Amino acid sequence: MVLKSKHTGKLISFEGSEGSGKTSQIARLAERLQKLKRDVVTVREPGGTEIGEQIRNIIVHNSKGDEMCPETELLLFAAARAQLVREVIAPALMRGAIVLSDRYLDSSTVYQGIGRNLAADPVNQINRFAVGNVMPDLTIVIDVPTKVGLARIHQRASDLPDRMERENIDFYNKIREGYLVLAKGMPSRFVVVDGSSDESATEKKIWEAVRTRIAE
Ligand code: TYD
């Protein structure tokens, strides 16, 4: 499904390095919007569709994943995204929903482009091919110092760190910096929110950014 230009939905993507707290902030925002009787759809990347979840498994948990080359990684993320856009996001936007996406194309720009050193041009072209005309109305980058983010991940009682979480601190510093540079270059789409204080303070800052945009 291709998004028709006349639709009343809003796509808000959340970005940030590991442990930035995107997922819990998305849950808080979804709850707030639902209380206001808004139609809210939340999705996560990679995943969000049956095909996408299978792709996610290959990328994140594949035991031989350490051998995956960056080009393959980029194409797999893009493949999962292409499916998610057409199966879930575009139809939701067409019926007027607010879609909250836990990561979107900027993750590929930053993780594969900057983190894995793939050339910017092909990454941008593949990104654009995957999403078609479904671009975010607003992108919130939750920014936390790398050490804080990594400490949060290690505190999570869950299982062993996955393949992406085993990267070293230099990689995550690059990711953090990459998001900040990207946001600076596109100030009309991006809002950077400091995510290092407590969750309700971060929630308020996010709500300030979202409130005005969904009224537009
Ligand atoms: P996930 O467990 O969802 O991490 P997080 O909670 O931090 O979002 O795993 C997603 C991982 O995949 C994360 O390390 C970022 C990475 N990623 C990319 O490298 N490129 C992409 O395009 C996307 C969507 C994710």
Side-chain angles (χ1 to χ4, degrees):
M1 176 175 190
V2 178
L3 191 62
K4 304 213 176 70
S5 55
K6 277 210 170 105
H7 70 90
T8 52
K10 296 279 180 206
L11 172 59
I12 304 175
S13 59
F14 285 75
E15 298 283 353
S17 190
E18 328 298 294
S20 57
K22 290 178 282 89
T23 310
S24 49
Q25 288 300 330
I26 290 170
R28 283 171 179 248
L29 177 60
E31 205 183 311
R32 212 183 251 264
L33 291 166
Q34 273 151 0
K35 278 193 191 136
L36 297 172
K37 304 270 177 277
R38 302 296 294 251
D39 178 1
V40 186
V41 173
T42 60
V43 293
R44 74 160 178 182
E45 275 216 29
T49 63
E50 213 172 306
I51 290 169
E53 289 297 329
Q54 288 179 35
I55 296 174
R56 178 189 179 88
N57 225 7
I58 303 173
I59 306 170
V60 180
H61 297 299
N62 178 20
S63 59
K64 293 205 169 68
D66 288 333
E67 294 153 28
M68 187 182 292
C69 60
E71 290 80 359
T72 307
E73 196 179 88
L74 172 71
L75 291 166
L76 287 175
F77 279 119
R81 184 168 305 129
Q83 189 69 28
L84 183 67
V85 164
R86 286 151 188 87
E87 201 178 307
V88 182
I89 299 178
L93 294 174
M94 288 304 293
R95 65 161 203 265
I98 299 173
V99 179
L100 308 179
S101 185
D102 193 337
R103 301 195 178 279
Y104 200 52
L105 80 171
D106 303 304
S107 280
S108 289
T109 306
V110 171
Y111 278 77
Q112 279 65 55
I114 297 164
R116 304 266 193 242
N117 294 316
L118 290 180
D121 277 354
V123 172
N124 290 336
Q125 275 170 22
I126 288 165
N127 265 344
R128 238 172 278 137
F129 180 66
V131 304
N133 63 353
V134 184
M135 283 298 287
D137 297 285
L138 170 66
T139 298
I140 293 175
V141 173
I142 305 185
D143 179 56
V144 293
T146 305
K147 277 195 179 148
V148 173
L150 291 181
R152 285 181 186 167
I153 291 179
H154 294 133
Q155 266 170 17
R156 281 182 201 157
S158 63
D159 40 19
L160 292 169
D162 65 38
R163 193 172 69 84
M164 303 299 286
E165 290 171 356
R166 289 197 296 269
E167 288 294 341
N168 63 33
I169 192 145
D170 295 339
F171 179 82
Y172 291 116
N173 280 332
K174 256 164 85 175
I175 300 298
R176 182 187 185 202
E177 194 52 36
Y179 276 124
L180 295 178
V181 170
L182 200 64
K184 217 172 181 179
M186 284 182 272
S188 57
R189 170 157 75 86
F190 279 86
V191 171
V192 178
V193 170
D194 170 20
S196 55
S197 47
D198 67 282
E199 285 195 355
S200 30
T202 308
E203 182 187 349
K204 277 194 197 124
K205 289 178 220 156
I206 291 174
W207 180 238
E208 273 316 300
V210 170
R211 203 168 50 97
T212 46
R213 306 286 180 121
I214 57 170
E216 278 166 10

